[in-house]
Amino acid sequence: MEEEKTPNIPNRSLVIMALVVGGGVTLGALTLYAIMPSLIAQGGIPEAQTDFLRLSPVFFPRLAFAILTGLSLTYFISTARLLKQADEGSVFEESGTLQRVLTLYSIALIYPFLLPSLGYVVSTIFLMGGMTLYLGTRIWWQVLSFAVLTPITIRFVFERLLSISLPRSDFDFIANTEEGLMQVLVSIFYGWKG
Amino acid sequence: MIDAFIEGFYLLWRIDTYVYISLGLILGMFVGAMPGLTTTLTMAILLPVSFKLEPMLGIPFLIGIYKGGIYGGSISAILVGIPGTGASIATTFDGPALTRKGQGRKALEMALFSSVTGDTLSDIFTLSLIGPIALVVLLVGPPEVFAIIIFSLVLIASVSSESGLKGAIAACIGLGLGLIGTDAATGATRLTFGLEILSAGIPIIPLVIGIFAVPEVLEAVQSRAPRFIDERIDLSKAGERLKWPEFKRSIRTILRSTAIGTGIGMVPGVGQVVAAFISYSAAKRASDDPDSYGKGNLDGIAAPEAANNAVNGPTLVPLLTLGIPGDNITAILLGAFVAHGMRPGPQIFEEQGPMMYALLLSMVLANIVFLGLGYILLKPFAYAIQAKKSYLVPIILGLAFVGTLSTGVDTDVMIMVVVGICAFILRKLKFDLAPLVIAFVLSEPIEYRLAQTMLYAKGDLFSYVFVQRPVASVFLSAAIIWIVYLIIRPWLNNRKQLIGA
């Protein structure tokens, strides 16, 4: 395959990142290739798995991982050649970008853990409010109204109009408040049915 | 076939289909107009919504997003010279120049009319040819389908990333991910590491949302700029509307570009960007005044816009007849078809002909809605592209989470988050992830067809494929020749340079 050209990886940080990815994928694919037979769980049709006319369940994954090992090793070697000629520099063009990306990703990472206990609306109020503040909106009533109204609207549209249920809080108080709020919205949009 | 077509036509007599098409078009145009956000992102986060709707609502909804998104990209390309989507890069050659000349309104309307014309003609072409193509495809067996899939995958991997190597790595990772779970041929479970949740394989929703939505959100916050576009939009200086004689002068260009876009759309992996560039240069070559291109020529808008929208319909030909998605968007559409119990492939027109024709007809009729909405909403969309990131980014991330939560499996959210960061890193290293998603959805059909081919071959696979099955042999040989060419190309280039020196 075609080799990487210097302009594609302009600085040392990116080259190192590419080496880590290339090396990691190579090692991972090689390991999976080697241990593939032991990763076939019991089950299925045993006769079919040993019939020489049939495709063994090991064959195709091993083929894919063997090709992946070769390709990623080529990528690793061609990238390693760039290390000496690479310029100093950061992965990101603007300073502070890594911090912004990591903060946002951390918020996204914490969110799934909040969902089971706080439920969809309350967790999402934190998500929306935190992100809106972090991304530069400082007017409190704008942040508050956006953070509160967006999850309520999303929950109403997805649950009541599209029948997609979203997580409820483990705390009865929160779950009941949310449900009550949905009932009010239903009564507004569909008319009160008792 | 005619009966299926007529039945399909009657399936379209329902107002809600058009409501969802309109909704899709509006969302698509809005996100498409926003530089930094893509149509793929919108389709990925709204894919679960389409699952919950009937097929006649959910799939037209996604098709609306697709059509609207490709056109939406031209709005910012014309007004401020920043393409909303890759498909609109060629539109930036003449769009901003026309805006500076006070003809922004004409350019926007030319983009709309040429997009709708290109889209409609290519959809009619698709509708009239897809049935007969499906009948021909029915005659080919598993070895041929296997060979065509391999050839398509090689082509997609080699043209999608900046280097074939990265595309091939992405495709192999996709294949590996797609093989997790239960083997369709033998029933054995593989690569699950004892985890029960992986026995059915990696679900498509968290994978697609993780790959397309999370990296875009992270990329959007890399810049401190509060908006995606800093330039101020002022439509009061956009000038007059497009006049019929001006449009009439561009009809020849639109038809040529539609033909180019339609042809390119049928080849997996090439896509809108290439179609737009080829059409632009073809229009320039054919013009009596090529020097005016790049300085504000309406044909310079008509050509790329007709071509990039003309790609939309024909991309469904390999998808529906062979089950091969040619790009990210058709890979997502494949997910939607499968979720609605329709497995694209040669037999789909036999089994679900009326539904297929209804969906294809909905694409044609969607263009009428597209024209109306595009015309009415041009101004609001032009101003909407200045929306603040601090509102848009949380909404997108919030919808990405809701989409993943809609599967009802809590662990899917973690899959999305983990896939998202991996996709972000790969995108930083300039990997195009289209081959990954396409290989992921094709891994099962590839293995299944290979298993069938081995049974037919009765132990002599090489002679069976390369001697007894000429069609399969042609496609596999073409794939091998293409791979060999990609490997020796750098060496050939070096040699040429040495001889030149």
Side-chain angles (χ1 to χ4, degrees), chain A residues 9 11-29 68-69 71-83 91, chain B residues 169 173 421-422 425-426 428-429 431:
Chain A
I9 301 176
N11 63 54
R12 186 171 289 271
S13 310
L14 272 180
V15 174
I16 292 169
M17 197 163 125
L19 282 175
V20 172
V21 169
V25 173
T26 308
L27 275 177
L68 182 58
T69 305
L71 291 170
S72 49
L73 190 63
T74 311
Y75 177 68
F76 181 82
I77 293 167
S78 60
T79 311
R81 283 192 202 150
L82 296 172
L83 196 57
V91 173
Chain B
I169 291 174
I173 293 174
I421 194 72
C422 295
I425 292 168
L426 288 175
K428 272 274 141 216
L429 296 172
F431 277 80

Side-chain angles (χ1 to χ4, degrees), chain B residues 13 32 71 146 163 199 256 268 276 372 375 405 409 426 428 432 451:
Chain B
W13 287 99
Y71 162 68
F146 170 74
S163 82
S199 59
R256 186 192 313 109
Y375 200 72
L405 286 167
V409 183
L426 288 175
K428 272 274 141 216
D432 185 342

Side-chain angles (χ1 to χ4, degrees), chain A residues 2 41 45 57 100 105 137 142, chain B residues 186 189 221-222 390 417 489:
Chain A
E2 196 177 357
I45 314 159
R100 276 200 298 280
Y105 190 70
T137 300
Q142 284 185 1
Chain B
T186 62
T189 50
V221 298
Q222 285 187 50
S390 58
V417 173
R489 192 167 61 178

Side-chain angles (χ1 to χ4, degrees), chain A residues 1-5 8-10 14-15 17-18 21 25 32 35-36 39-46 48-49 51-65 67-68 70-72 74-75 78 91-97 100-102 104-105 107-109 111-113 115-116 120 124 127-128 131-133 135-137 139 142-143 146 150 154 158 161-167, chain B residues 20 45-46 48-49 52-53 146 150 162-166 168-170 172-173 175-177 179 183 185-193 214 217-219 221-226 388-395 397-399 401-403 405-407 410 413-414 417-422 424-426 428-431 443 446-448 450-451 454-455 457-459 483 486-490 493:
Chain A
M1 295 284 168
E2 196 177 357
E3 269 184 28
E4 297 303 303
K5 308 276 190 306
N8 295 344
I9 301 176
L14 272 180
V15 174
M17 197 163 125
V21 169
V25 173
L32 286 170
I35 64 167
M36 193 58 220
L39 290 177
I40 304 292
Q42 293 300 312
I45 314 159
Q49 291 169 34
D51 182 352
F52 79 100
L53 283 181
R54 290 173 196 266
L55 191 66
S56 148
V58 179
F59 176 78
F60 198 64
R62 280 193 110 177
L63 180 66
F65 292 129
I67 297 171
L68 182 58
L71 291 170
S72 49
T74 311
Y75 177 68
S78 60
V91 173
F92 302 103
E93 284 168 14
E94 268 184 42
S95 63
T97 305
R100 276 200 298 280
V101 168
L102 285 178
L104 193 83
Y105 190 70
I107 295 173
L109 208 58
Y111 179 71
F113 294 101
L115 277 170
Y120 176 75
T124 312
L127 176 82
M128 297 276 170
M131 283 178 67
T132 312
L133 271 172
L135 292 174
T137 300
I139 303 164
Q142 284 185 1
V143 176
F146 174 75
T150 313
I154 291 177
F158 277 75
L161 302 181
L162 296 167
S163 308
I164 296 174
S165 55
L166 297 170
Chain B
Y20 278 96
I45 58 176
L46 294 173
V49 172
K52 298 286 171 181
L53 301 167
F146 170 74
I150 293 293
E162 60 182 14
S163 82
L165 179 61
K166 287 178 180 174
I169 291 174
C172 284
I173 293 174
L175 276 181
L177 291 174
L179 294 170
D183 171 29
T186 62
T189 50
R190 300 178 294 197
L191 295 159
T192 57
F193 301 96
V214 177
V217 165
L218 294 177
E219 273 171 25
V221 298
Q222 285 187 50
S223 154
R224 278 204 190 88
K388 273 187 172 179
K389 269 188 204 172
S390 58
Y391 296 126
L392 278 176
V393 170
I395 288 178
L397 197 63
L399 286 175
F401 276 114
V402 172
L405 286 167
S406 71
T407 59
D410 293 345
V413 177
M414 284 318 292
V417 173
V418 172
V419 168
I421 194 72
C422 295
F424 177 69
I425 292 168
L426 288 175
K428 272 274 141 216
L429 296 172
K430 303 266 192 297
F431 277 80
S443 59
I446 294 175
E447 191 181 20
Y448 188 63
L450 180 61
M454 282 184 79
L455 275 175
K458 296 191 174 92
I483 292 170
L486 289 174
I487 293 169
I488 63 167
R489 192 167 61 178
N493 287 343

Side-chain angles (χ1 to χ4, degrees), chain B residues 144-166:
Chain B
E144 287 76 21
V145 176
F146 170 74
I148 293 169
I149 294 178
I150 293 293
F151 174 71
S152 307
L153 208 52
V154 168
L155 200 65
I156 291 164
S158 64
V159 299
S160 56
S161 285
E162 60 182 14
S163 82
L165 179 61
K166 287 178 180 174

